[in-house]
Structure formats: C-alpha cells, structure tokens
Amino acid sequence: MHLTVEEALSIYPLSEAKLIAGSKGTHRIVKSINVMDAPDISDWIKEGEMLLTTAYLIKDNPEQASALLHKLNRRGSSGLGIKLGRFWESVPETLITEADELNFPLIELPFQFTFSDQMNGLFRAELARRTDTLQAVLEKQRKLMRFALRPVRSRSLLESVSEVIGHPIAVIGSRGELLFNNSTRTERELLGGWPWGNRNRKVRIGEEAGYRLPLLQGEECFGYLVFCSIDPLLLPMEESLFVQGAELIAHHIRAGDEDYFEHDLHREFGKLLRRYLKGDLSCAELVKAADTLDYGLLQAPFQLVLSDVPEAGELRQHELTRLKEEYAQHPEFGRMKAFHLVMEEGLLSIYSGERMAPERFSAIIESCFDKLKMGESFYPRAAISSRKSKPEETKEAFAEVKEALRLTAHWNAGQQVAHYRQLELAMVLQQVPAEMMQKYFSRILAGLLGREPEYVREMLHTLEAFLENDGHINETAKKLFIHRNTATYRMEKLSELLDVDFKKTDDLLRLKLAFLFRKMLERG
C-alpha cells in the first residue's frame, strides 16, 4: 500500500473519520495498517504504518498516551486512528495539541465501522489503483514495442519514449555530458553525484525524485537515462517500464553517433565546419574547434568522404542518417578518428588517423551501402578525396568530393564509390573538344581498329582490363576469366599491332588517355 494520509482519508469508510490534529502531516505515506492489541505494540510499528486503536490501553493514563504519540512519531508511523464511543468519548485536548506540534496525523474513527471495515476499504482502493496502474503500464509497453519495431530517428524516439511513459527525461553521456533534456531540471541538478555506478536507482534531482538507469551495450555503459518528476512511491511494474524504455533507447542509439546525441562541442564544430566551407570562418578558428574535441581531426593526414542518396526531403535526411550510423558501426572505420555531418550536399565525413588503400576504403563504404538494403531503386553514391596533410586543405578536399560526385557520368557502370584520384584525369581533360578526343583515340589504336569487329572488341576489352590493373598480367587474367598464358599472348599481339612497349610509361600513358577519351565520348 502506498497512499498518503490525505488520500486514505478520502476512501470510504475512512472518509467518515475526522482529522483532528496534524493537518500538516497528511503527506505522510500509509504503507500498511496495524491494530493495537498489546501494551508494547508501538515497539513493533514499522515506518509508514498507521495504528488503529480503541484507546483501551491508554484511556486512564494521559502520560502513556503522550508517550505513545511521541514513540509513533519517532518510528515514522503515518498516523494514529482512535475509535471513540467505547472507552473515550473524545480525544483529550492535550493529546491534540501535542499531535499538532509534531505534525502527526491524529484521526477520530467513527464508532459504527469496525477496524476491518477501515482496512478493507483501503485495501480495495489499493487493489483498484494497482490494477489501473498495471493496465496503464501494459498499454505503454505496447506503444513502446511499436516504436521498437519501426525505424525512427533517435531524437523523435527520445521524445516519444518520454511522452509514452509520461515523464520528462534526460540522456547523459559516458563522460558526463548532457546530450538530451526535455525536463525543467538544470544540468547541474541532473549531474549531481557524478560519476555514477552502472545500476538502476532512485535519485534526488533538485526538489523532485528521479530514476536513473545506465544505457548498456553488452557490458559497456555508454550513457545514462534519467526519468524526472517521478512518484517516489512508484510501483515495481512502473520501474519495469523505465527499464524497458532504457533498453529501447540503448538498442536504437550507437554511443552518441546520432546528431542529437552529440554533445554541444560536436554540434558547435558542425556549425563551424559549415561556416568554414562557406568562407565565413578562418581555418585557424576551425582547427581550434577541432582541438577541443580531442579527436586529432585535421591534424593527422585526413580524407573527406561525401555520400548522397537519390531520395529527397525528409526521406533523404533519414537515409543519410542511417548511412552515418552504418559508417560509425563498421569495425575498420571504428579504428579511425571520424566526424560526420549531414548537410545540404549530403553526408560529409572526415576520416583521419590511419592510412587506407583507396580500393579498401571504397570496399568498406560499399559494404555499408549493402547493409542498408533499400531495394533495387536505392543507389547511394560516395566520393573520396585525395589524402590531405594540412588543415588548410580541407576546402580543397571538399571541392574534390563535390566535383567527383558531380562527374558520376565518368564512373564505371554499376560503380557506387569513386576516389577523386580515379577521376582526376577526366576532370582535367573534360575541356578537350570531342573531335580531338575521337581523332586521338583513332590514331593511337589505328593498328587494331581495322580488324574484324569481334576481334577488335575482344582485344580492346583485354587491353582495358590490363590498364585498369596497372599492367599486372595475373590480375588481368583473373578479371577476364582466362588463363595467364592466354592473357600474355594477347598482350604480345597488341604490342605488335599497336607498336607499343608495355614496359614504357609513355606508351602506357598514351593508351590510358585513349581509353579515357573513349569513355568520355561514350558518355557524352
């Protein structure tokens, strides 16, 4: 039972009783009811227990009545109910005065009702309250389950959990940073007693009660969820609802990877990065902001990645956020220092701290695309800048990835990720007139183009694979699914027909340029 004295006095038949003293103590909690049937009953009274008596043991001894009142108050009793009409016609004025001084509720019980009537009335009311609470909790659990079964953005999830459970909440990061707060409590109040242990517990937040739970991924705690303005006497079933809300939030967020879970420094750096890329901020100010993150961003050699999806509006924002989460979860990317920012141009990512081959970098991004599983119509793309070593080169890197995404027409068929270095020549040569490109291509490959069409097609395919694999015969053979000796024979024949030496850089460059012009002509 968890009722205040004031609530208990509103329940029939205790509602027929009269509060004659201790009106300032009606906030005391009634946890149970006991009946006085022995001289030493006060020695057995528990905190929160209300004592009912006929006054038989104290009827002839005012001092004993006063001692009983004081002892009950010291032991944390919630009040004393005296049934009049049998041994006392009225409660002595001295006892009433003492009860008022102690703010201890003193109640006149009506004669026509038995103690069992009073207790049964309270127990029935408590049972009804618990039943209503259980039904409300079950309905809230159903709503939480619906959130768990559909993808939602992390901020709307937090607001929804707070709304469903019916309490304002705050999310605290593992380093004590306030990540989200829709309560009226200040950061100082919410962080009282920091650092904390990894267990659920009721806490005091300012003048109110709260409930704090760790957000766990396995054994690792990456933050805390705090429910504010709770009832200090919440039931176990209500505590289980808090636990479910914490588990739901922990499942959906990835240790601060979502924009709304980034602390103020991250958000501020994102704003400054946007300003810097627009030319409204100096590089020195951006570097200073990066240093406050303690990430080493822009100091070590770094690269930029710009990713985009074909969707528009809110759906585009949602998919870019999902892609950001995939990047953050990848174990190889996890070893690198990273910062992600969803902006107008797409998802901009800064990676530093570890050198990675362009092919491997592209493969990781493509694997993240695959995990999104958005169907055949979903074709995300990403461009990777060349490696930069100075913060001042950030704008240059951003220009590279934007231009690389713009030149998707020059990408290989089916390619989703391109490195700027792969497109650099195309960018330099895009101003060459088409007529000159065609003339150059025809002249360089003249010795082959006059042959039979099927033969020309096969040999051009072989030569293109050879150039794409940097002149490695074994890799060329693997790509064409032919024997190494077959690949070697074809290259020897091509050397003869085209009058080139594949060991000379100049000859390889001319052929590479011819195929680049051919691709640019085919794609307009």
Side-chain angles (χ1 to χ4, degrees):
M1 186 182 303
H2 288 83
L3 300 168
T4 63
V5 173
E6 184 178 15
E7 290 171 334
L9 288 171
S10 68
I11 298 170
Y12 186 84
L14 197 58
S15 59
E16 300 298 311
K18 180 182 178 182
L19 180 69
I20 59 174
S23 58
K24 294 182 179 179
T26 53
H27 63 279
R28 296 191 184 208
I29 303 301
V30 181
K31 295 182 180 179
S32 60
I33 305 290
N34 206 338
V35 177
M36 184 176 183
D37 60 357
D40 62 347
I41 185 66
S42 59
D43 294 331
W44 302 96
I45 288 291
K46 299 175 182 177
E47 183 180 357
E49 204 161 46
M50 178 179 282
L51 182 63
L52 306 183
T53 180
T54 60
Y56 171 71
L57 295 174
I58 56 176
K59 62 181 175 34
D60 300 322
N61 193 334
E63 291 79 11
Q64 191 174 359
S66 175
L68 173 66
L69 194 68
H70 283 270
K71 194 165 188 178
L72 291 176
N73 185 59
R74 287 196 302 273
R75 296 186 69 87
S77 171
S78 56
L80 175 63
I82 302 176
K83 186 175 182 180
L84 300 180
R86 189 168 185 183
F87 299 107
W88 273 358
E89 291 299 325
S90 63
V91 178
E93 286 297 326
T94 54
L95 198 62
I96 294 174
T97 301
E98 288 187 68
D100 267 330
E101 290 174 354
L102 296 172
N103 294 325
F104 185 80
L106 191 59
I107 304 165
E108 281 188 4
L109 299 176
F111 181 77
Q112 66 269 32
F113 296 107
T114 65
F115 291 151
S116 63
D117 291 335
Q118 308 287 359
M119 290 188 287
N120 287 337
L122 294 177
F123 291 147
R124 282 194 298 270
E126 177 67 8
L127 178 59
R129 185 178 78 90
R130 285 176 176 260
T131 302
D132 291 343
T133 301
L134 177 59
Q135 290 175 342
V137 167
L138 290 175
E139 179 58 28
K140 290 177 180 181
Q141 287 178 334
R142 281 193 289 269
K143 289 181 179 179
L144 289 178
M145 187 59 67
R146 286 198 290 271
F147 289 126
L149 294 176
R150 72 170 187 255
V152 292
R153 295 194 62 199
S154 299
R155 186 177 183 87
S156 63
L157 174 69
L158 285 183
E159 292 168 343
S160 298
V161 168
S162 175
E163 181 181 354
V164 169
I165 295 181
H167 293 281
I169 64 173
V171 176
I172 314 297
S174 58
R175 293 180 293 180
E177 65 273 27
L178 181 61
L179 306 178
F180 178 89
N181 179 23
N182 67 354
S183 76
T184 59
R185 299 293 97 190
T186 65
E187 182 173 358
R188 183 174 182 179
E189 289 173 326
L190 290 166
L191 291 174
W194 178 267
W196 306 321
N198 293 349
R199 63 188 183 90
N200 304 345
R201 58 171 299 177
K202 295 177 186 176
V203 292
R204 196 74 185 165
I205 306 173
E207 299 300 317
E208 299 177 339
Y211 197 83
R212 186 174 67 226
L213 308 94
L215 297 172
L216 302 172
Q217 288 182 347
E219 297 298 321
E220 181 184 359
C221 174
F222 63 87
Y224 297 86
L225 176 64
V226 180
F227 289 93
C228 305
S229 304
I230 70 165
D231 183 348
L233 303 174
L234 77 162
L235 301 173
M237 65 186 76
E238 294 175 294
E239 290 189 35
S240 69
L241 191 63
F242 293 160
V243 172
Q244 184 177 349
E247 290 176 347
L248 176 59
I249 291 171
H251 174 73
H252 274 272
I253 65 177
R254 298 291 184 269
D257 296 327
E258 172 62 49
D259 274 341
Y260 297 107
F261 293 97
E262 292 170 341
H263 56 73
D264 291 342
L265 288 177
H266 286 76
R267 287 195 292 272
E268 184 63 24
F269 180 73
K271 292 177 184 177
L272 295 177
L273 180 58
R274 285 189 177 96
R275 288 180 56 195
Y276 170 73
L277 294 175
K278 290 180 179 178
D280 298 335
L281 190 76
S282 70
C283 183
E285 290 173 293
L286 183 68
V287 171
K288 183 178 179 180
D291 289 343
T292 61
L293 292 176
D294 195 27
Y295 273 10
L297 285 171
L298 308 180
Q299 295 301 318
F302 63 92
Q303 289 176 273
L304 265 58
V305 177
L306 183 62
S307 311
D308 203 2
V309 295
E311 280 75 9
E314 291 187 6
L315 184 57
R316 177 174 182 259
Q317 183 87 5
H318 175 73
E319 296 306 332
L320 288 176
T321 299
R322 288 187 61 210
L323 182 57
K324 172 185 171 182
E325 292 174 350
E326 288 296 338
Y327 286 171
Q329 293 173 47
H330 196 282
E332 289 192 58
F333 276 166
R335 294 197 295 268
M336 303 175 72
K337 298 166 185 173
F339 181 86
H340 306 280
L341 179 66
V342 176
M343 51 197 306
E344 184 180 346
E345 292 81 358
L347 172 61
L348 181 64
S349 305
I350 304 175
Y351 286 101
S352 65
E354 183 173 314
R355 294 178 180 270
M356 187 177 292
E359 296 78 12
R360 184 58 195 154
F361 211 148
S362 299
I364 294 174
I365 293 175
E366 287 176 355
S367 70
C368 291
F369 288 168
D370 292 340
K371 287 184 179 179
L372 292 177
K373 297 178 180 178
M374 290 300 296
E376 296 180 0
S377 63
F378 185 72
Y379 296 105
R381 293 186 182 275
I384 308 170
S385 75
S386 55
R387 189 177 289 116
K388 306 299 179 183
S389 57
K390 298 177 182 178
E392 294 80 6
E393 297 174 317
T394 305
K395 280 186 183 177
E396 180 183 333
F398 185 55
E400 289 179 1
V401 291
K402 283 202 301 181
E403 183 67 7
L405 272 187
R406 188 183 70 81
L407 292 174
T408 54
H410 297 288
W411 295 17
N412 293 325
Q415 186 178 3
Q416 289 182 280
V417 183
H419 197 288
Y420 177 79
R421 200 170 67 183
Q422 298 171 322
L423 304 173
E424 205 164 11
L425 264 180
M427 295 174 190
V428 171
L429 299 172
Q430 61 183 333
Q431 301 302 321
V432 177
E435 182 182 349
M436 187 176 292
M437 291 184 188
Q438 182 63 56
K439 188 179 292 186
Y440 185 88
F441 172 76
S442 299
R443 181 172 60 80
I444 294 295
L445 299 174
L448 174 63
L449 297 178
R451 302 286 174 140
E452 294 180 2
E454 186 64 32
Y455 182 76
V456 172
R457 189 161 44 251
E458 182 181 80
M459 296 301 273
L460 283 177
H461 187 45
T462 301
L463 179 55
E464 187 173 24
F466 180 78
L467 294 172
E468 287 178 355
N469 286 279
D470 299 321
H472 296 294
I473 284 290
N474 288 339
E475 296 302 318
T476 302
K478 287 180 184 178
K479 184 168 185 177
L480 297 173
F481 301 102
I482 60 177
H483 194 276
R484 185 183 188 280
N485 292 342
T486 303
T488 301
Y489 170 78
R490 290 182 185 178
M491 296 312 301
E492 290 173 352
K493 192 65 178 175
L494 283 166
S495 177
E496 179 184 329
L497 291 171
L498 301 176
D499 191 23
V500 296
D501 185 348
F502 290 118
K503 294 181 181 179
K504 291 184 177 180
T505 305
D506 287 349
D507 286 353
L508 287 173
L509 180 59
R510 281 195 292 271
L511 289 169
K512 187 80 173 178
L513 195 57
F515 274 92
L516 183 57
F517 282 156
R518 178 193 182 207
K519 185 181 295 183
M520 292 173 72
L521 288 168
E522 287 176 350
R523 296 178 180 176

